[in-house]
Amino acid sequence: MNKIEIIPLGGIGEFGMNCMGIRYGDEMIIVDAGMGFPEETPYGVDISIPNFDFLEEYRDDLTAIILTHGHEDHIGALSYILRKFNLPVYSSRFTLALAEKRLREFDMLDDVLLHRVSAGESIEIGAFRIEFIHASHSLVECFSLAIHTPIGTLIHTGDYKIDDTPVIGKPYDLKMLSRIGDEGVLALLCDSTNATVPGRTPSEQAVIPAFEEIFEQTEGRLIVSTFSSSMHRLQIIFDIAYQFGRKVCVLGRSMQKNVEIAEEQGLLKITHGTMIDLAGSRALDDDEICYLVTGSQGEMRAALWNMATSTYKGIEVETGDTVILSARIIPGNEKNISRLIGHLYKRGANIIEEKRRLVRVSGHASQGDIQIMVETARPKFVVPIHGEYRMLFRQKEFIKNHVAGYGDDNIILIENGNILEIDEYAAKVVEKHDLHKTFIDEESMEEIEYDVVRERKKLAYGGAISLVVTIDKHKHSLAGDPQISFQGVAGLDPLNGFAANARDAVTLAINEMRPEQIADRNAFKENLRIHLKRYVQSELGTKPVIVTTIVEI
Ligand SMILES: [Zn+2]
């Protein structure tokens, strides 16, 4: 076969859960294995992962997993894919350290082969040769990938922006990208997260003036909440705190761990004596301390929420504190953040968020960055990835209108579960699969069956009716009145006679059945369910979950 197949399992048409299979001949690599944040949270699931069962038919082809960078929406599902397919994993030292932390929690670290690679390096995995291009993003040690195959090169951007002046590490390696562009690029798989935003994405350094001002003007305690993975931001806060004579106390497990890993690897540079523990922080004056905390998304288990609701041991938000929310609002978290801000205001805190000051910048490519990417890589085809469909679409429109030589034929929109075939001449979707997500229970961290969540949804919408029917096991006829009870069904109360009428309707239906229809208990049970369902629907216009039980005497 002289075609490349691109098979996205997640991250296309949605935010998060990034994962893509890339297949050539009978070999397939997986780029990223991220988690997502589903809308089904009211039904007891906070996390979703790609449907890795879909990869079963490619089991013998799978050769490796490549991680572009360490954000949860790129590595959060690693343990789940590795449980099903034990593949070697390739990524940067920092990304692997974050991945290791996860694998250790699942007690899987000893069973997995992790290969450390550096920017600029080139490795061979079967028919693929992969070059790792240094990418700038809100995190550090991120890669764009040049994936060379015998019929052409793909560039997978990962998450990126073209940052000329990052705080940690070097700018985006446009030189390497340009060299690969010179050699010829068949397709560019390009991050769309910020494709609706005009201009260039500001550098990570752009937040420094606002932070300096805030540190200079604030007399009370400062509490900064950001993502524990926003390394450039953390470096800026450590630097400015030092500059203005404040010590930094890091609170929240993921923040403490990430700071520890990044400092150990020499990525984060913290002046000796700047960091202080919680006990030490209490001895300081208000203008000598800055708390760096998790919880910018209003997560109820994180440090900031607990500090705002008096559930953090040893510290709470007080009148006169200034809280800086230095993070983007991840879609779906608006309500929780709004509640968090309410709690903070109740406690008398002053809140600074991005609407008021430039305290955060995006880590993703805006339109200007996308233009640089396309013009430098000069691919034959562009495939927008990472983002909701609206963003993929806008990336296509932008490139069509702003980069010469690109139109409907060579910018291809795909969806999760599509199989996109590419060769030197064409790129087209040849198969479409409906991939439902896999849900994870946040308490146990185990998979929940898709049907279970669907059932919970139905229960939440329509309530439940339970029907118990007693049957004479020899005569196959009704032995006593059917029992009906209901929970959470709208339009019902114990006195309005519905239960009695429904019971009569079920009795009538059973009496009309022949004994052989009742003898097959499974068919009988399903038959009863359908009868009652139709009756409820015609009487109440609702669709509760109906549970039927047959008792034999
Ligand atoms: Zn990212």
PDB file of all heavy atoms in Angstrom, residues 35 44-49 79-80 83-84 102 105-108 438-450 452-453 456:
ATOM      1  N   MET A  35      -6.593  12.917  27.788  1.00  0.00           N
ATOM      2  CA  MET A  35      -7.926  12.786  28.372  1.00  0.00           C
ATOM      3  C   MET A  35      -8.773  13.999  27.998  1.00  0.00           C
ATOM      4  O   MET A  35      -8.262  15.028  27.568  1.00  0.00           O
ATOM      5  CB  MET A  35      -7.846  12.625  29.890  1.00  0.00           C
ATOM      6  CG  MET A  35      -7.161  13.767  30.619  1.00  0.00           C
ATOM      7  SD  MET A  35      -7.413  13.723  32.406  1.00  0.00           S
ATOM      8  CE  MET A  35      -6.919  12.080  32.845  1.00  0.00           C
ATOM      9  N   GLY A  44     -21.775  11.526  36.966  1.00  0.00           N
ATOM     10  CA  GLY A  44     -20.725  10.844  37.717  1.00  0.00           C
ATOM     11  C   GLY A  44     -19.441  10.573  36.962  1.00  0.00           C
ATOM     12  O   GLY A  44     -18.627   9.780  37.398  1.00  0.00           O
ATOM     13  N   VAL A  45     -19.261  11.221  35.796  1.00  0.00           N
ATOM     14  CA  VAL A  45     -17.979  11.062  35.107  1.00  0.00           C
ATOM     15  C   VAL A  45     -17.360  12.438  34.867  1.00  0.00           C
ATOM     16  O   VAL A  45     -18.029  13.358  34.425  1.00  0.00           O
ATOM     17  CB  VAL A  45     -18.106  10.327  33.750  1.00  0.00           C
ATOM     18  CG1 VAL A  45     -18.365   8.866  33.959  1.00  0.00           C
ATOM     19  CG2 VAL A  45     -19.186  10.936  32.890  1.00  0.00           C
ATOM     20  N   ASP A  46     -16.104  12.571  35.213  1.00  0.00           N
ATOM     21  CA  ASP A  46     -15.414  13.848  35.022  1.00  0.00           C
ATOM     22  C   ASP A  46     -14.397  13.760  33.904  1.00  0.00           C
ATOM     23  O   ASP A  46     -13.888  14.767  33.443  1.00  0.00           O
ATOM     24  CB  ASP A  46     -14.698  14.248  36.315  1.00  0.00           C
ATOM     25  CG  ASP A  46     -15.703  14.535  37.412  1.00  0.00           C
ATOM     26  OD1 ASP A  46     -16.743  15.111  37.097  1.00  0.00           O
ATOM     27  OD2 ASP A  46     -15.445  14.148  38.564  1.00  0.00           O
ATOM     28  N   ILE A  47     -14.064  12.555  33.526  1.00  0.00           N
ATOM     29  CA  ILE A  47     -12.970  12.369  32.575  1.00  0.00           C
ATOM     30  C   ILE A  47     -13.432  11.438  31.464  1.00  0.00           C
ATOM     31  O   ILE A  47     -14.143  10.462  31.718  1.00  0.00           O
ATOM     32  CB  ILE A  47     -11.760  11.732  33.302  1.00  0.00           C
ATOM     33  CG1 ILE A  47     -11.194  12.716  34.335  1.00  0.00           C
ATOM     34  CG2 ILE A  47     -10.679  11.317  32.309  1.00  0.00           C
ATOM     35  CD1 ILE A  47     -10.208  12.079  35.270  1.00  0.00           C
ATOM     36  N   SER A  48     -13.009  11.739  30.242  1.00  0.00           N
ATOM     37  CA  SER A  48     -13.234  10.782  29.168  1.00  0.00           C
ATOM     38  C   SER A  48     -11.891  10.480  28.517  1.00  0.00           C
ATOM     39  O   SER A  48     -10.951  11.288  28.591  1.00  0.00           O
ATOM     40  CB  SER A  48     -14.207  11.346  28.135  1.00  0.00           C
ATOM     41  OG  SER A  48     -13.696  12.532  27.578  1.00  0.00           O
ATOM     42  N   ILE A  49     -11.803   9.335  27.900  1.00  0.00           N
ATOM     43  CA  ILE A  49     -10.603   8.967  27.157  1.00  0.00           C
ATOM     44  C   ILE A  49     -11.039   8.445  25.787  1.00  0.00           C
ATOM     45  O   ILE A  49     -12.201   8.080  25.609  1.00  0.00           O
ATOM     46  CB  ILE A  49      -9.753   7.900  27.902  1.00  0.00           C
ATOM     47  CG1 ILE A  49     -10.576   6.625  28.153  1.00  0.00           C
ATOM     48  CG2 ILE A  49      -9.200   8.444  29.207  1.00  0.00           C
ATOM     49  CD1 ILE A  49      -9.750   5.455  28.644  1.00  0.00           C
ATOM     50  N   SER A  79      -2.007   5.746  30.623  1.00  0.00           N
ATOM     51  CA  SER A  79      -2.073   4.481  31.361  1.00  0.00           C
ATOM     52  C   SER A  79      -3.168   3.577  30.788  1.00  0.00           C
ATOM     53  O   SER A  79      -3.014   2.359  30.769  1.00  0.00           O
ATOM     54  CB  SER A  79      -2.307   4.732  32.841  1.00  0.00           C
ATOM     55  OG  SER A  79      -3.440   5.541  33.009  1.00  0.00           O
ATOM     56  N   TYR A  80      -4.250   4.167  30.297  1.00  0.00           N
ATOM     57  CA  TYR A  80      -5.364   3.354  29.777  1.00  0.00           C
ATOM     58  C   TYR A  80      -5.003   2.703  28.438  1.00  0.00           C
ATOM     59  O   TYR A  80      -5.342   1.557  28.194  1.00  0.00           O
ATOM     60  CB  TYR A  80      -6.624   4.208  29.633  1.00  0.00           C
ATOM     61  CG  TYR A  80      -7.080   4.780  30.954  1.00  0.00           C
ATOM     62  CD1 TYR A  80      -6.726   6.068  31.336  1.00  0.00           C
ATOM     63  CD2 TYR A  80      -7.828   4.003  31.833  1.00  0.00           C
ATOM     64  CE1 TYR A  80      -7.128   6.577  32.561  1.00  0.00           C
ATOM     65  CE2 TYR A  80      -8.226   4.504  33.066  1.00  0.00           C
ATOM     66  CZ  TYR A  80      -7.870   5.798  33.420  1.00  0.00           C
ATOM     67  OH  TYR A  80      -8.254   6.298  34.629  1.00  0.00           O
ATOM     68  N   ARG A  83      -2.430  -0.103  29.100  1.00  0.00           N
ATOM     69  CA  ARG A  83      -3.026  -1.306  29.675  1.00  0.00           C
ATOM     70  C   ARG A  83      -3.525  -2.229  28.581  1.00  0.00           C
ATOM     71  O   ARG A  83      -3.475  -3.432  28.688  1.00  0.00           O
ATOM     72  CB  ARG A  83      -4.229  -0.891  30.510  1.00  0.00           C
ATOM     73  CG  ARG A  83      -3.975  -0.981  31.985  1.00  0.00           C
ATOM     74  CD  ARG A  83      -5.314  -0.847  32.649  1.00  0.00           C
ATOM     75  NE  ARG A  83      -5.218   0.135  33.712  1.00  0.00           N
ATOM     76  CZ  ARG A  83      -6.273   0.526  34.412  1.00  0.00           C
ATOM     77  NH1 ARG A  83      -7.463   0.068  34.135  1.00  0.00           N
ATOM     78  NH2 ARG A  83      -6.118   1.394  35.377  1.00  0.00           N
ATOM     79  N   LYS A  84      -4.006  -1.620  27.488  1.00  0.00           N
ATOM     80  CA  LYS A  84      -4.537  -2.446  26.387  1.00  0.00           C
ATOM     81  C   LYS A  84      -3.439  -2.838  25.399  1.00  0.00           C
ATOM     82  O   LYS A  84      -3.450  -3.920  24.843  1.00  0.00           O
ATOM     83  CB  LYS A  84      -5.638  -1.672  25.647  1.00  0.00           C
ATOM     84  CG  LYS A  84      -6.917  -1.534  26.469  1.00  0.00           C
ATOM     85  CD  LYS A  84      -8.085  -1.052  25.619  1.00  0.00           C
ATOM     86  CE  LYS A  84      -9.411  -1.327  26.267  1.00  0.00           C
ATOM     87  NZ  LYS A  84      -9.895  -0.319  27.192  1.00  0.00           N
ATOM     88  N   ARG A 102       2.094   9.797  36.466  1.00  0.00           N
ATOM     89  CA  ARG A 102       0.793   9.145  36.218  1.00  0.00           C
ATOM     90  C   ARG A 102       0.901   7.632  36.313  1.00  0.00           C
ATOM     91  O   ARG A 102       0.087   6.969  36.939  1.00  0.00           O
ATOM     92  CB  ARG A 102       0.325   9.470  34.805  1.00  0.00           C
ATOM     93  CG  ARG A 102      -0.223  10.818  34.671  1.00  0.00           C
ATOM     94  CD  ARG A 102      -1.699  10.691  34.528  1.00  0.00           C
ATOM     95  NE  ARG A 102      -2.349  11.824  35.132  1.00  0.00           N
ATOM     96  CZ  ARG A 102      -3.639  11.877  35.350  1.00  0.00           C
ATOM     97  NH1 ARG A 102      -4.390  10.850  35.044  1.00  0.00           N
ATOM     98  NH2 ARG A 102      -4.188  12.927  35.886  1.00  0.00           N
ATOM     99  N   GLU A 105       1.159   6.242  39.715  1.00  0.00           N
ATOM    100  CA  GLU A 105      -0.130   6.193  40.420  1.00  0.00           C
ATOM    101  C   GLU A 105      -0.907   4.927  40.067  1.00  0.00           C
ATOM    102  O   GLU A 105      -1.691   4.428  40.852  1.00  0.00           O
ATOM    103  CB  GLU A 105      -0.982   7.421  40.063  1.00  0.00           C
ATOM    104  CG  GLU A 105      -0.521   8.690  40.757  1.00  0.00           C
ATOM    105  CD  GLU A 105      -1.114   9.957  40.128  1.00  0.00           C
ATOM    106  OE1 GLU A 105      -2.032   9.859  39.281  1.00  0.00           O
ATOM    107  OE2 GLU A 105      -0.665  11.046  40.503  1.00  0.00           O
ATOM    108  N   PHE A 106      -0.700   4.425  38.859  1.00  0.00           N
ATOM    109  CA  PHE A 106      -1.401   3.213  38.423  1.00  0.00           C
ATOM    110  C   PHE A 106      -0.532   1.969  38.611  1.00  0.00           C
ATOM    111  O   PHE A 106      -0.861   0.903  38.124  1.00  0.00           O
ATOM    112  CB  PHE A 106      -1.806   3.334  36.947  1.00  0.00           C
ATOM    113  CG  PHE A 106      -2.979   4.240  36.727  1.00  0.00           C
ATOM    114  CD1 PHE A 106      -2.816   5.610  36.629  1.00  0.00           C
ATOM    115  CD2 PHE A 106      -4.263   3.707  36.642  1.00  0.00           C
ATOM    116  CE1 PHE A 106      -3.900   6.440  36.439  1.00  0.00           C
ATOM    117  CE2 PHE A 106      -5.355   4.536  36.452  1.00  0.00           C
ATOM    118  CZ  PHE A 106      -5.184   5.910  36.353  1.00  0.00           C
ATOM    119  N   ASP A 107       0.617   2.168  39.248  1.00  0.00           N
ATOM    120  CA  ASP A 107       1.524   1.060  39.518  1.00  0.00           C
ATOM    121  C   ASP A 107       1.965   0.348  38.238  1.00  0.00           C
ATOM    122  O   ASP A 107       2.035  -0.870  38.177  1.00  0.00           O
ATOM    123  CB  ASP A 107       0.820   0.065  40.469  1.00  0.00           C
ATOM    124  CG  ASP A 107       1.839  -0.664  41.325  1.00  0.00           C
ATOM    125  OD1 ASP A 107       3.005  -0.211  41.354  1.00  0.00           O
ATOM    126  OD2 ASP A 107       1.480  -1.685  41.926  1.00  0.00           O
ATOM    127  N   MET A 108       2.213   1.113  37.193  1.00  0.00           N
ATOM    128  CA  MET A 108       2.532   0.522  35.893  1.00  0.00           C
ATOM    129  C   MET A 108       3.945   0.837  35.425  1.00  0.00           C
ATOM    130  O   MET A 108       4.349   0.410  34.347  1.00  0.00           O
ATOM    131  CB  MET A 108       1.569   1.078  34.827  1.00  0.00           C
ATOM    132  CG  MET A 108       0.153   0.610  34.989  1.00  0.00           C
ATOM    133  SD  MET A 108      -0.919   1.459  33.823  1.00  0.00           S
ATOM    134  CE  MET A 108      -0.315   0.856  32.260  1.00  0.00           C
ATOM    135  N   THR A 438     -14.896   6.842  25.911  1.00  0.00           N
ATOM    136  CA  THR A 438     -14.881   5.967  27.075  1.00  0.00           C
ATOM    137  C   THR A 438     -14.861   6.873  28.298  1.00  0.00           C
ATOM    138  O   THR A 438     -14.068   7.804  28.360  1.00  0.00           O
ATOM    139  CB  THR A 438     -13.624   5.078  27.051  1.00  0.00           C
ATOM    140  OG1 THR A 438     -13.636   4.329  25.827  1.00  0.00           O
ATOM    141  CG2 THR A 438     -13.595   4.123  28.222  1.00  0.00           C
ATOM    142  N   PHE A 439     -15.745   6.603  29.247  1.00  0.00           N
ATOM    143  CA  PHE A 439     -15.824   7.460  30.434  1.00  0.00           C
ATOM    144  C   PHE A 439     -15.048   6.857  31.601  1.00  0.00           C
ATOM    145  O   PHE A 439     -14.984   5.645  31.753  1.00  0.00           O
ATOM    146  CB  PHE A 439     -17.287   7.646  30.845  1.00  0.00           C
ATOM    147  CG  PHE A 439     -18.097   8.378  29.817  1.00  0.00           C
ATOM    148  CD1 PHE A 439     -19.123   7.746  29.134  1.00  0.00           C
ATOM    149  CD2 PHE A 439     -17.821   9.708  29.527  1.00  0.00           C
ATOM    150  CE1 PHE A 439     -19.871   8.423  28.181  1.00  0.00           C
ATOM    151  CE2 PHE A 439     -18.560  10.385  28.578  1.00  0.00           C
ATOM    152  CZ  PHE A 439     -19.590   9.747  27.900  1.00  0.00           C
ATOM    153  N   ILE A 440     -14.489   7.755  32.414  1.00  0.00           N
ATOM    154  CA  ILE A 440     -13.729   7.304  33.587  1.00  0.00           C
ATOM    155  C   ILE A 440     -14.387   7.869  34.844  1.00  0.00           C
ATOM    156  O   ILE A 440     -14.700   9.058  34.915  1.00  0.00           O
ATOM    157  CB  ILE A 440     -12.266   7.810  33.526  1.00  0.00           C
ATOM    158  CG1 ILE A 440     -11.575   7.370  32.230  1.00  0.00           C
ATOM    159  CG2 ILE A 440     -11.472   7.357  34.749  1.00  0.00           C
ATOM    160  CD1 ILE A 440     -11.338   5.895  32.096  1.00  0.00           C
ATOM    161  N   ASP A 441     -14.567   7.012  35.821  1.00  0.00           N
ATOM    162  CA  ASP A 441     -15.116   7.427  37.099  1.00  0.00           C
ATOM    163  C   ASP A 441     -14.000   8.081  37.902  1.00  0.00           C
ATOM    164  O   ASP A 441     -12.947   7.481  38.093  1.00  0.00           O
ATOM    165  CB  ASP A 441     -15.620   6.171  37.814  1.00  0.00           C
ATOM    166  CG  ASP A 441     -16.183   6.470  39.177  1.00  0.00           C
ATOM    167  OD1 ASP A 441     -15.395   6.681  40.119  1.00  0.00           O
ATOM    168  OD2 ASP A 441     -17.408   6.493  39.298  1.00  0.00           O
ATOM    169  N   GLU A 442     -14.216   9.314  38.346  1.00  0.00           N
ATOM    170  CA  GLU A 442     -13.090  10.011  38.967  1.00  0.00           C
ATOM    171  C   GLU A 442     -12.708   9.427  40.320  1.00  0.00           C
ATOM    172  O   GLU A 442     -11.574   9.530  40.750  1.00  0.00           O
ATOM    173  CB  GLU A 442     -13.344  11.513  39.086  1.00  0.00           C
ATOM    174  CG  GLU A 442     -12.013  12.252  39.024  1.00  0.00           C
ATOM    175  CD  GLU A 442     -12.116  13.724  39.303  1.00  0.00           C
ATOM    176  OE1 GLU A 442     -12.424  14.085  40.457  1.00  0.00           O
ATOM    177  OE2 GLU A 442     -11.875  14.504  38.390  1.00  0.00           O
ATOM    178  N   GLU A 443     -13.645   8.819  40.996  1.00  0.00           N
ATOM    179  CA  GLU A 443     -13.331   8.213  42.302  1.00  0.00           C
ATOM    180  C   GLU A 443     -12.404   7.010  42.129  1.00  0.00           C
ATOM    181  O   GLU A 443     -11.334   6.951  42.700  1.00  0.00           O
ATOM    182  CB  GLU A 443     -14.620   7.755  42.988  1.00  0.00           C
ATOM    183  CG  GLU A 443     -15.451   8.906  43.542  1.00  0.00           C
ATOM    184  CD  GLU A 443     -14.747   9.662  44.662  1.00  0.00           C
ATOM    185  OE1 GLU A 443     -13.986   9.018  45.418  1.00  0.00           O
ATOM    186  OE2 GLU A 443     -14.946  10.884  44.765  1.00  0.00           O
ATOM    187  N   SER A 444     -12.829   6.058  41.308  1.00  0.00           N
ATOM    188  CA  SER A 444     -12.062   4.813  41.182  1.00  0.00           C
ATOM    189  C   SER A 444     -11.007   4.902  40.087  1.00  0.00           C
ATOM    190  O   SER A 444     -10.097   4.092  40.042  1.00  0.00           O
ATOM    191  CB  SER A 444     -13.012   3.661  40.862  1.00  0.00           C
ATOM    192  OG  SER A 444     -13.578   3.835  39.574  1.00  0.00           O
ATOM    193  N   MET A 445     -11.129   5.907  39.184  1.00  0.00           N
ATOM    194  CA  MET A 445     -10.272   6.044  38.006  1.00  0.00           C
ATOM    195  C   MET A 445     -10.411   4.851  37.055  1.00  0.00           C
ATOM    196  O   MET A 445      -9.563   4.619  36.201  1.00  0.00           O
ATOM    197  CB  MET A 445      -8.796   6.264  38.387  1.00  0.00           C
ATOM    198  CG  MET A 445      -8.528   7.556  39.135  1.00  0.00           C
ATOM    199  SD  MET A 445      -9.149   9.028  38.287  1.00  0.00           S
ATOM    200  CE  MET A 445      -7.896   9.288  37.057  1.00  0.00           C
ATOM    201  N   GLU A 446     -11.462   4.100  37.189  1.00  0.00           N
ATOM    202  CA  GLU A 446     -11.695   2.965  36.296  1.00  0.00           C
ATOM    203  C   GLU A 446     -12.689   3.351  35.204  1.00  0.00           C
ATOM    204  O   GLU A 446     -13.463   4.295  35.364  1.00  0.00           O
ATOM    205  CB  GLU A 446     -12.255   1.773  37.084  1.00  0.00           C
ATOM    206  CG  GLU A 446     -11.272   1.170  38.070  1.00  0.00           C
ATOM    207  CD  GLU A 446     -10.013   0.606  37.406  1.00  0.00           C
ATOM    208  OE1 GLU A 446     -10.103   0.155  36.259  1.00  0.00           O
ATOM    209  OE2 GLU A 446      -8.939   0.644  38.047  1.00  0.00           O
ATOM    210  N   GLU A 447     -12.690   2.581  34.127  1.00  0.00           N
ATOM    211  CA  GLU A 447     -13.624   2.840  33.032  1.00  0.00           C
ATOM    212  C   GLU A 447     -15.064   2.532  33.451  1.00  0.00           C
ATOM    213  O   GLU A 447     -15.299   1.592  34.200  1.00  0.00           O
ATOM    214  CB  GLU A 447     -13.274   1.950  31.837  1.00  0.00           C
ATOM    215  CG  GLU A 447     -12.003   2.373  31.147  1.00  0.00           C
ATOM    216  CD  GLU A 447     -11.665   1.493  29.953  1.00  0.00           C
ATOM    217  OE1 GLU A 447     -12.566   0.816  29.439  1.00  0.00           O
ATOM    218  OE2 GLU A 447     -10.490   1.504  29.552  1.00  0.00           O
ATOM    219  N   ILE A 448     -15.972   3.353  32.998  1.00  0.00           N
ATOM    220  CA  ILE A 448     -17.392   3.054  33.193  1.00  0.00           C
ATOM    221  C   ILE A 448     -17.953   2.719  31.818  1.00  0.00           C
ATOM    222  O   ILE A 448     -17.658   3.404  30.850  1.00  0.00           O
ATOM    223  CB  ILE A 448     -18.179   4.274  33.711  1.00  0.00           C
ATOM    224  CG1 ILE A 448     -17.518   4.860  34.949  1.00  0.00           C
ATOM    225  CG2 ILE A 448     -19.616   3.901  34.008  1.00  0.00           C
ATOM    226  CD1 ILE A 448     -18.309   6.007  35.544  1.00  0.00           C
ATOM    227  N   GLU A 449     -18.772   1.677  31.745  1.00  0.00           N
ATOM    228  CA  GLU A 449     -19.373   1.301  30.466  1.00  0.00           C
ATOM    229  C   GLU A 449     -20.148   2.474  29.888  1.00  0.00           C
ATOM    230  O   GLU A 449     -20.854   3.178  30.612  1.00  0.00           O
ATOM    231  CB  GLU A 449     -20.361   0.141  30.684  1.00  0.00           C
ATOM    232  CG  GLU A 449     -19.743  -1.115  31.260  1.00  0.00           C
ATOM    233  CD  GLU A 449     -18.956  -1.875  30.219  1.00  0.00           C
ATOM    234  OE1 GLU A 449     -19.386  -1.865  29.068  1.00  0.00           O
ATOM    235  OE2 GLU A 449     -17.910  -2.448  30.570  1.00  0.00           O
ATOM    236  N   TYR A 450     -20.075   2.625  28.602  1.00  0.00           N
ATOM    237  CA  TYR A 450     -20.808   3.687  27.914  1.00  0.00           C
ATOM    238  C   TYR A 450     -22.311   3.570  28.202  1.00  0.00           C
ATOM    239  O   TYR A 450     -22.987   4.553  28.464  1.00  0.00           O
ATOM    240  CB  TYR A 450     -20.551   3.560  26.408  1.00  0.00           C
ATOM    241  CG  TYR A 450     -21.207   4.631  25.586  1.00  0.00           C
ATOM    242  CD1 TYR A 450     -20.729   5.941  25.624  1.00  0.00           C
ATOM    243  CD2 TYR A 450     -22.291   4.336  24.779  1.00  0.00           C
ATOM    244  CE1 TYR A 450     -21.331   6.921  24.872  1.00  0.00           C
ATOM    245  CE2 TYR A 450     -22.892   5.321  24.018  1.00  0.00           C
ATOM    246  CZ  TYR A 450     -22.407   6.609  24.064  1.00  0.00           C
ATOM    247  OH  TYR A 450     -23.001   7.591  23.308  1.00  0.00           O
ATOM    248  N   VAL A 452     -23.759   2.408  30.792  1.00  0.00           N
ATOM    249  CA  VAL A 452     -24.101   2.803  32.161  1.00  0.00           C
ATOM    250  C   VAL A 452     -24.365   4.307  32.214  1.00  0.00           C
ATOM    251  O   VAL A 452     -25.337   4.770  32.813  1.00  0.00           O
ATOM    252  CB  VAL A 452     -22.959   2.423  33.135  1.00  0.00           C
ATOM    253  CG1 VAL A 452     -23.185   3.036  34.507  1.00  0.00           C
ATOM    254  CG2 VAL A 452     -22.843   0.913  33.234  1.00  0.00           C
ATOM    255  N   VAL A 453     -23.501   5.074  31.556  1.00  0.00           N
ATOM    256  CA  VAL A 453     -23.677   6.528  31.570  1.00  0.00           C
ATOM    257  C   VAL A 453     -24.957   6.914  30.816  1.00  0.00           C
ATOM    258  O   VAL A 453     -25.702   7.792  31.232  1.00  0.00           O
ATOM    259  CB  VAL A 453     -22.443   7.235  30.970  1.00  0.00           C
ATOM    260  CG1 VAL A 453     -22.638   8.733  30.910  1.00  0.00           C
ATOM    261  CG2 VAL A 453     -21.206   6.901  31.793  1.00  0.00           C
ATOM    262  N   ARG A 456     -27.778   6.277  33.108  1.00  0.00           N
ATOM    263  CA  ARG A 456     -27.876   7.318  34.140  1.00  0.00           C
ATOM    264  C   ARG A 456     -28.530   8.567  33.571  1.00  0.00           C
ATOM    265  O   ARG A 456     -29.322   9.232  34.216  1.00  0.00           O
ATOM    266  CB  ARG A 456     -26.479   7.686  34.659  1.00  0.00           C
ATOM    267  CG  ARG A 456     -25.881   6.642  35.547  1.00  0.00           C
ATOM    268  CD  ARG A 456     -24.504   7.103  35.989  1.00  0.00           C
ATOM    269  NE  ARG A 456     -23.805   6.058  36.722  1.00  0.00           N
ATOM    270  CZ  ARG A 456     -22.540   6.157  37.109  1.00  0.00           C
ATOM    271  NH1 ARG A 456     -21.854   7.247  36.842  1.00  0.00           N
ATOM    272  NH2 ARG A 456     -21.981   5.183  37.766  1.00  0.00           N
TER     273      ARG A 456
END
